[in-house]
Structure formats: C-alpha cells, structure tokens
Amino acid sequence: MKTTTKNSLHIPPQMWAEIKDYLLKSRRGNEEVFCVIFCQRQQISKHETRYIPKTWVVPSADCYEYQTSSGLVLKQDFHTYLLENHLEPELDIVHIHTHVGYGIPDFSYVDDRHESEYAQFISSNFSKKHRLISGVFDQNLQSYQFRIWDKKGRKFQELKFCNLLFDIAYHPKNTDNNLIDDLMFNRQKIFGEGNQKLLNQLKLGLIGCGGIGAIFTELLGRLGVKNWVLIDPDKLETVNLNRMPGATPEMVQQQWYKVHYVKHLIKKIYPQGSSVKTISATIETELAQQEIASCDLIVVATDNHLSRKTAQEIALKYMRPFVCLGTHIDVKSDNTPRMYCRITIPPLGGGWCLMCGNIINLQRAALESAPNEIHNIAASAGYLEGVNDPAVFWLNSICASTAVGIIHGMVSGFMNVDSGIDWIYDFPGSEWRKTDTEYLHNDDCYFCS
C-alpha cells in the first residue's frame, strides 16, 4: 500500500495578517485579488513535507491585465518580473486568489486549466523542478481550499494550510487512559476542551535537561504535554542535586544521563500514553537536529551560547515557535547577590532573533565550538570565566514556571507573542522588565533578515 505524503503550508500569524491586510486594501470593489508567495520546501520526514514562506508579493492594480468580480489575469511582464526576481532555485510557488461570496469556495474550471498549465510550465522550464501550490479564499479571506500540483500539471492533492502559531491537528484516541486524563485535567476545563487537547498533542523539543529544563518539564508535563524530544549530552552529578526535582544520589552513582532522568519524571506522570525520545548528545549532532525539526515547539534551556545559537538557527530554518530560558547570578561590589532569569520568544518567521537582538554572544558561541587549545588561550586572555555559573532551585523555578505559563497562553490563544517577547526578572528588586521588542529588530541580521 502506497503511503501518501502529507503536505502543509505554514504562514506565521504576523506574516499572514500583513498579507491579508494588503490583499483587502488592494481591492477597490468586490473584484478578485491575487497574491504570490515563494516558499522553501522542508522535508520533515519521509512522508511529511512542509512549505514555509520566504517572500511574498501582492500586485497593485496596474499589474493586472483585467480584474473583475468573476476573474482576473495578470500582465505577462509582471509574471516575468516575479520569476526573474523572486524564484530562487530552492523555492516553490504559491498562488492565492479570492472568489466572490462567503463560505468554503471551490476552484473553478478556469482555475483548473490555468493552474495545470502553469504547474507544467515552472517544472519544465527551469533546472530545478518547482512545484505549484494554489489556494482559493472567499472574499473576506476566511474560508479556503488549498492544493499542490504534480510536476506534470495533471494531478493535484489536498494541502493543509495553517496560519496559526502551532500547526497541530488533534486526533482523538479511544484508550483506557482517557478517563484518567479527564479526571486529571478536570480543574483546567476553564481554558476549554480544545486547549487541553492541543496540549495533549503538542510535541515539544527540549534542549537542555538541567536545573531549568527539569523543572520546566515537570510543570509543563502536569499541564498536559505528553510528547517530548529531550536533548542533552550530560550525566547527573552531585552538584546538580540542589536543583533537580526527584534526582537522587543513587541516580548520580548509576551515572544516569540527564535525558533519562527527565524521561523518568515524565513517565512518573504518564506511565502510559506518553511519547519521550531521548538523545544523549549535543544539539549540534545531525540526529538531534532531525528530531528537533519535527517538533511543534522548540525550547532551549542550556548554559552555553553555542547550543542556543544552534537551536535558534533550527527554529528559523524550520519556522518553529522557539522559547529560550536562562538564569544568571553575580555578586556586586558590596558582596550582595544580583540574580536574573530571562524568557525570550522571538517572533515566528523572523523579524528579530537571539543573535540580532544580541541576546546571545556570538563570540562566546564561537569560542565554545573551538578546540581546547583556543579555549585555553581565550580563557587566559580574560574572554571566558573560569568557573561555571552559580545556580539555585528557586530562581530556576521562577524562570521555568513563567515560561510554562507563557506557553499555556500561547496554546490557549489568550497570550499574543506574534511580535515576540523578552522578559527579565531582577532579584532582589523583585521586578519583571519587559523589553520593547521594536528595538530588537535588525534588518541586517545575517540569520533572520
């Protein structure tokens, strides 16, 4: 039996809002409007392909040969302009247009003929055989259908369209565990049944299973998240026991990997019905990156700049929502401690990232990936501290619990992170400082611009 490839187009909420706004403004009356999006193809697995947007164009009125309520035709020179200036070798093309009326629209006979011809044209006239995706919306851009054409322009199959933060489809399962789950989450019904189902289906990739990551997993797991990919190369040490809930000296003696310890925490909550994949390696390894790319949400809770940089690059490449967690303790000149925790969520699809916002230090990231000889030279020159950062359980708990609350809000829809957030907790001042993310935008950023 042949397995059908699952295709999806995921446009970030903020980008879709801009596209939709331009489309509606380009309409003078009730005529049809058109948009072209150039997308990168991501092979998530053997049977799953995701298309993510890189650039988009909404034509102005003078780009149409004619534009009415019953159809539209773009000028040939405008088509040529699009292909010459935007169609890069690794990109595919998405055509979106509207039909007059409300409710789920149908593709017309004219749509079928023109799209078939265009799909064949772009796959046969360029060295890279580009694919055509087409979508039709009602006049308010609410209801829609999408499809993807084969390279010969003869057949098409349905394509899933998502313009939300999370691309999650809930599939109910009839298991004996359902009753237990219903009782377990009974006091979370205030957030809605749909919210709980999304939490249960969310697949979360956690990079860093230490003092913050372990508490984060315990809290988010009890909120209902059951599907995890855990990445961390380290084993438990005695020094970890002051901040790792449920960790024991016996686990240290038995040289448990941190990923296996955190899996143990999840399995204590869900002996059945959970899926936990553990990788006792760094995020720089190919296997770890492949697994993280398949997740709905990426969270990094490590203590080094290189892993955060790599995690951010994966999130940008595969356009996955991304959360960065960290804490820091230093001592002032009067010997009193100053403590911080930080939760950063860059906007999905770019705008600013950890690198362009200078939230991680690229020099430190480079040194962390350098050979030991370079490391030692840098340390002697004063570029690196000689001791690990101090850590305490309660500060990690503030960071982890706040992040869990934010993620709950993201999934539930009562918290908008489309523009990103950067929150810093300062103790002993006991205050949250919220960065104005407009100042983090950097159009020249190598990574996300």
Side-chain angles (χ1 to χ4, degrees):
M1 181 178 176
K2 187 177 180 180
T3 304
T4 303
T5 301
K6 296 179 181 178
N7 295 293
S8 63
L9 169 64
H10 191 185
I11 302 180
Q14 191 170 10
M15 181 184 291
W16 177 246
E18 292 176 4
I19 293 173
K20 183 178 176 181
D21 184 55
Y22 271 88
L23 281 168
L24 293 174
K25 286 181 178 178
S26 68
R27 179 186 289 144
R28 293 162 295 179
N30 66 341
E31 61 271 280
E32 294 184 6
V33 287
F34 183 82
C35 173
V36 183
I37 303 173
F38 295 88
C39 289
Q40 188 170 29
R41 189 188 314 173
Q42 298 287 0
Q43 197 68 40
I44 303 303
S45 67
K46 185 177 180 180
H47 302 297
E48 182 181 359
T49 305
R50 181 188 297 134
Y51 295 85
I52 60 175
K54 292 301 178 183
T55 58
W56 54 273
V57 178
V58 173
S60 56
D62 58 356
C63 297
Y64 293 98
E65 194 169 299
Y66 73 83
Q67 182 186 20
T68 68
S69 61
S70 58
L72 54 80
V73 173
L74 292 166
K75 292 180 179 178
Q76 188 60 46
D77 58 351
F78 179 68
H79 268 301
T80 303
Y81 164 81
L82 289 175
L83 296 177
E84 290 179 349
N85 291 275
H86 294 285
L87 187 58
E88 298 175 9
E90 73 278 8
L91 300 183
D92 295 295
I93 303 176
V94 180
H95 283 179
I96 291 175
H97 72 285
T98 61
H99 282 178
V100 174
Y102 304 97
I104 299 176
D106 290 319
F107 289 98
S108 68
Y109 168 77
V110 175
D111 294 335
D112 293 343
R113 180 165 58 85
H114 286 173
E115 289 175 12
S116 173
E117 293 172 354
Y118 196 78
Q120 186 176 7
F121 167 75
I122 61 173
S123 66
S124 60
N125 284 274
F126 298 91
S127 57
K128 299 293 184 180
K129 296 186 179 299
H130 306 282
R131 300 290 297 273
L132 174 66
I133 295 169
S134 61
V136 59
F137 280 79
D138 68 357
Q139 66 184 53
N140 278 354
L141 294 163
Q142 297 296 328
S143 301
Y144 54 83
Q145 285 195 64
F146 274 84
R147 59 189 182 183
I148 180 168
W149 287 85
D150 68 7
K151 295 174 184 177
K152 296 181 179 179
R154 295 176 183 172
K155 295 186 296 183
F156 57 80
Q157 67 181 80
E158 185 180 350
L159 176 134
K160 179 184 175 184
F161 170 69
C162 177
N163 60 350
L164 304 174
L165 192 63
F166 296 105
D167 182 11
I168 306 172
Y170 175 70
H171 302 289
K173 299 177 182 178
N174 296 319
T175 65
D176 295 335
N177 210 40
N178 279 351
L179 179 60
I180 297 173
D181 285 356
D182 289 344
L183 293 173
M184 179 176 177
F185 304 121
N186 189 54
R187 296 192 180 185
Q188 292 174 200
K189 287 183 177 178
I190 188 174
F191 300 106
E193 182 181 355
N195 166 66
Q196 195 59 54
K197 291 177 178 178
L198 288 176
L199 285 168
N200 293 158
Q201 291 296 310
L202 185 74
K203 183 178 180 182
L204 191 141
L206 175 63
I207 304 155
C209 296
I212 299 174
I215 303 169
F216 171 84
T217 305
E218 175 80 12
L219 293 171
L220 194 60
R222 295 190 181 278
L223 197 61
V225 175
K226 303 178 181 179
N227 304 304
W228 297 79
V229 174
L230 307 175
I231 312 288
D232 196 309
D234 296 335
K235 294 180 179 180
L236 282 173
E237 301 177 25
T238 301
V239 71
N240 302 137
L241 296 179
N242 77 317
R243 57 192 181 279
M244 310 279 271
T248 65
E250 289 75 22
M251 291 178 182
V252 174
Q253 292 168 6
Q254 294 168 11
Q255 296 189 308
W256 279 38
Y257 280 101
K258 289 180 179 178
V259 289
H260 297 151
Y261 148 72
V262 172
K263 179 177 180 177
H264 172 76
L265 295 179
I266 298 167
K267 288 298 184 179
K268 293 283 283 185
I269 308 171
Y270 304 110
Q272 296 178 335
S274 60
S275 172
V276 185
K277 179 163 288 190
T278 59
I279 301 175
S280 51
T282 68
I283 187 58
E284 287 76 39
T285 61
E286 184 178 353
L287 174 61
Q289 295 191 24
Q290 287 175 349
E291 291 295 336
I292 288 296
S294 69
C295 294
D296 302 305
L297 174 64
I298 301 172
V299 177
V300 62
T302 59
D303 59 0
N304 65 84
H305 294 260
L306 178 61
S307 59
R308 295 175 209 158
K309 170 182 172 290
T310 305
Q312 170 76 93
E313 289 173 329
I314 296 171
L316 286 167
K317 179 179 179 180
Y318 292 98
M319 205 174 69
R320 298 289 82 191
F322 177 67
V323 180
C324 180
L325 310 178
T327 60
H328 179 70
I329 301 175
D330 58 29
V331 179
K332 296 189 292 185
S333 57
D334 60 358
N335 291 325
T336 58
R338 193 79 178 270
M339 310 184 193
Y340 307 90
C341 71
R342 190 172 196 172
I343 298 102
T344 307
I345 305 176
L348 182 63
W352 59 268
C353 67
L354 300 186
M355 285 77 85
C356 68
N358 202 28
I359 293 166
I360 64 172
N361 188 312
L362 293 179
Q363 181 189 61
R364 288 284 300 272
L367 288 171
E368 287 164 358
S369 65
N372 288 334
E373 309 85 72
I374 303 297
H375 234 267
N376 295 335
I377 293 172
S380 64
Y383 288 110
L384 298 171
E385 294 85 350
V387 296
N388 291 329
D389 287 339
V392 292
F393 181 81
W394 64 265
L395 185 64
N396 291 344
S397 298
I398 291 175
C399 186
S401 60
T402 303
V404 168
I406 292 171
I407 291 171
H408 193 191
M410 291 162 61
V411 174
S412 304
F414 63 79
M415 185 165 187
N416 188 330
V417 297
D418 289 354
S419 299
I421 64 170
D422 183 34
W423 293 1
I424 301 171
Y425 177 76
D426 179 6
F427 187 87
S430 297
E431 60 179 340
W432 282 99
R433 300 175 180 176
K434 299 182 180 181
T435 305
D436 184 348
T437 56
E438 287 296 318
Y439 292 100
L440 298 177
H441 283 261
N442 182 355
D443 293 335
D444 297 323
C445 176
Y446 172 80
F447 300 95
C448 73
S449 61

